[in-house]
Amino acid sequence: MDPLDRLADPGLDLLRRVDALLAAGVPEGHRVWPLLRRMQVLPGDAVRGFLDLHPAPLAGAGHAVRRLVRGYDEVSATLTDPVLWSGPAATAYGQERAALLRHLDEGPESLVGRLESTAGYADALADWVEGSRLALARTLADVLRSAEAVAVVAATASGTPHRIEPVGPGVADAAEIAARVLAVLCVAYDGVETLLRQWAPSLAESTWRPAVDGRPRYDEPTRVGW
């Protein structure tokens, strides 16, 4: 259990109240407006969705992918065993064997290269989840002990009224809490979009280059990854 898990119950209770107040309307010109338009979700629902993200499964996936590399290493070692025969057939076999070795483990575009990139991407995502959860936990801790939280709880203490005026008690405070929560989530999602752009070239298909007359030829792509 990390800090975000520990703050989940009180944080979601506060954000439920915030969402109820915001449902009546948000003060005109408040800084929360562009965040709401971008996220298309109220802060309570946004945090509930983020609570399901954990780094451990992603880190485990990276370890599992790296274990696959050992199998490719064993195949490559077998292909490098000396051939005790000669002639045209041996030459053709040598060309095909060299092409297969290149495809298996020669550079970042080989199968092993793509596996290592896939594992690295999983690790990067795990780090992103861990860091983003910590940042969100810090924000929730701050808003839970803020004056705005006191005002929101007071405004909703007797249950959510059937009608809440946009300029009524607690609405501006709810908008301020929503802005702080949605801002940290926007930063988090900007971060994962950046990760995807950075890693996308390394996660592309690995292309099989069969040897023809001793020369590699580009052919159909082979997909690697998950």
Side-chain angles (χ1 to χ4, degrees):
M1 179 177 288
D2 65 3
L4 184 58
D5 288 325
R6 290 191 287 272
L7 290 169
D9 287 342
L12 288 176
D13 178 69
L14 174 63
L15 293 177
R16 175 182 59 80
R17 298 168 185 269
V18 167
D19 290 354
L21 290 168
L22 293 182
V26 179
E28 184 177 353
H30 196 280
R31 68 188 182 104
V32 77
W33 272 115
L35 297 168
L36 287 170
R37 282 192 289 267
R38 178 179 176 188
M39 297 293 287
Q40 295 291 303
V41 67
L42 290 171
D45 289 335
V47 170
R48 274 187 212 94
F50 205 85
L51 285 170
D52 293 331
L53 292 176
H54 294 276
L58 291 163
H63 293 316
V65 170
R66 286 192 177 89
R67 286 196 294 271
L68 297 175
V69 174
R70 290 198 293 269
Y72 286 84
D73 289 340
E74 292 171 2
V75 172
S76 296
T78 301
L79 289 171
T80 56
D81 289 341
V83 177
L84 303 178
W85 47 297
S86 60
T91 300
Y93 171 76
Q95 293 170 356
E96 293 298 330
R97 180 173 67 168
L100 182 54
L101 281 169
R102 285 193 300 271
H103 186 55
L104 286 174
D105 190 6
E106 186 177 294
E109 296 182 4
S110 67
L111 295 180
V112 168
R114 291 302 192 230
L115 283 173
E116 291 174 344
S117 294
T118 300
Y121 181 51
D123 291 344
L125 286 175
D127 291 341
W128 167 77
V129 171
E130 184 175 8
S132 298
R133 285 178 65 90
L134 181 58
L136 180 57
R138 288 171 175 162
T139 298
L140 284 179
D142 288 342
V143 299
L144 281 167
R145 57 175 177 256
S146 67
E148 289 84 1
V150 174
V152 165
V153 171
T156 57
S158 59
T160 303
H162 292 294
R163 178 176 176 80
I164 304 174
E165 296 297 333
V167 294
V171 173
D173 301 287
E176 185 61 28
I177 291 173
R180 294 172 68 178
V181 171
L182 292 178
V184 74
L185 288 175
C186 281
V187 170
Y189 289 122
D190 284 342
V192 77
E193 288 175 359
T194 299
L195 278 181
L196 181 57
R197 287 194 299 271
Q198 290 174 341
W199 282 91
S202 301
L203 302 174
E205 296 175 353
S206 180
T207 304
W208 166 242
R209 304 174 181 88
V212 177
D213 298 330
R215 298 187 301 274
R217 176 172 62 86
Y218 287 82
D219 206 332
E220 294 299 321
T222 300
R223 291 186 179 275
V224 179
W226 34 270

